[in-house]
C-alpha cells in the first residue's frame, strides 16, 4: 500500500455536542485542554497530546472525521503537503463520490466531503 499512501494532514474528530460547557468539562476529565476555538462562537478545539477533538454546538448534526492538509497535529504549517484539490482528484480517479467538492480551478484554502459506506462524513479541510 506504500504507493497508495495519501498524506491527509492533521487528524481530528469533530463532535456535534448538545451542551458545549458540559462537553468541555467531560473531556477535561479525560485530560484534554482547550487548544483553540471560541466558546462564544459555539466551538472549542481540545487537545490531549497529539489527539485533537473539536466540540461544535449547533453547527452540524453528526460527528465528522476531519483531516487538515498542510498542518501537523499542532496546527503548524508543513513545508510540503498534498493540496486538497490533488487529493480530490486522486479519490475521484478511484471512483469515490463526493458530498461536496473543492473548486479545482482555485488555489489555497479549500475543502471537500466524502461519505464512507456507513454514512460517516469525512471532511478534508485545507486552511492555507
Amino acid at each position: 500500500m506504500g504507493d497508495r499512501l495519501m498524506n491527509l494532514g492533521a487528524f481530528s474528530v469533530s463532535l456535534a455536542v448538545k451542551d458545549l460547557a458540559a462537553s468541555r468539562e467531560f473531556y477535561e476529565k479525560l485530560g484534554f485542554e482547550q487548544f483553540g476555538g471560541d466558546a462564544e462562537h459555539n466551538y472549542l478545539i481540545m487537545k490531549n497530546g497529539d489527539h485533537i477533538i473539536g466540540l461544535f454546538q449547533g453547527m452540524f448534526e453528526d460527528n465528522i472525521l476531519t483531516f487538515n492538509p498542510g498542518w501537523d497535529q499542532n496546527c503548524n504549517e508543513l513545508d510540503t503537503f498534498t493540496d486538497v484539490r490533488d487529493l480530490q482528484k486522486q479519490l475521484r480517479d478511484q471512483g469515490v463520490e463526493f458530498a461536496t467538492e473543492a473548486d479545482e480551478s482555485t488555489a489555497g484554502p479549500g475543502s471537500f466531503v466524502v461519505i464512507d459506506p456507513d454514512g460517516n462524513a469525512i471532511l478534508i479541510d485545507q486552511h492555507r
Side-chain angles (χ1 to χ4, degrees):
M1 176 145 179
D3 61 335
R4 294 188 60 198
L5 180 66
M6 296 185 85
N7 184 354
L8 300 174
F11 173 73
S12 62
V13 176
S14 300
L15 301 175
V17 302
K18 295 175 185 163
D19 181 327
L20 187 63
S23 294
R24 176 185 185 160
E25 183 178 325
F26 175 82
Y27 282 99
E28 286 176 340
K29 291 175 184 175
L30 292 175
F32 284 84
E33 297 178 347
Q34 183 175 346
F35 180 68
D38 184 344
E40 289 186 15
H41 290 102
N42 295 323
Y43 80 101
L44 296 171
I45 308 303
M46 307 290 290
K47 189 167 185 194
N48 178 339
D50 286 337
H51 308 294
I52 300 172
I53 55 172
L55 306 176
F56 297 87
Q57 182 177 323
M59 293 186 181
F60 45 85
E61 291 184 25
D62 297 313
N63 299 332
I64 302 170
L65 302 175
T66 304
F67 295 92
N68 301 110
W71 281 0
D72 67 13
Q73 286 298 109
N74 293 311
C75 297
N76 294 316
E77 293 185 359
L78 299 172
D79 292 334
T80 60
F81 65 97
T82 306
D83 186 83
V84 67
R85 286 153 285 270
D86 293 329
L87 294 169
Q88 180 173 280
K89 288 176 191 173
Q90 290 174 33
L91 291 171
R92 182 176 288 111
D93 289 346
Q94 296 179 64
V96 174
E97 294 184 22
F98 296 83
T100 65
E101 296 185 38
D103 182 346
E104 292 182 6
S105 69
T106 63
S111 65
F112 65 82
V113 175
V114 295
I115 308 297
D116 79 6
D118 296 299
N120 299 301
I122 301 168
L123 169 65
I124 311 297
D125 191 15
Q126 180 176 308
H127 294 280
R128 49 178 264 199

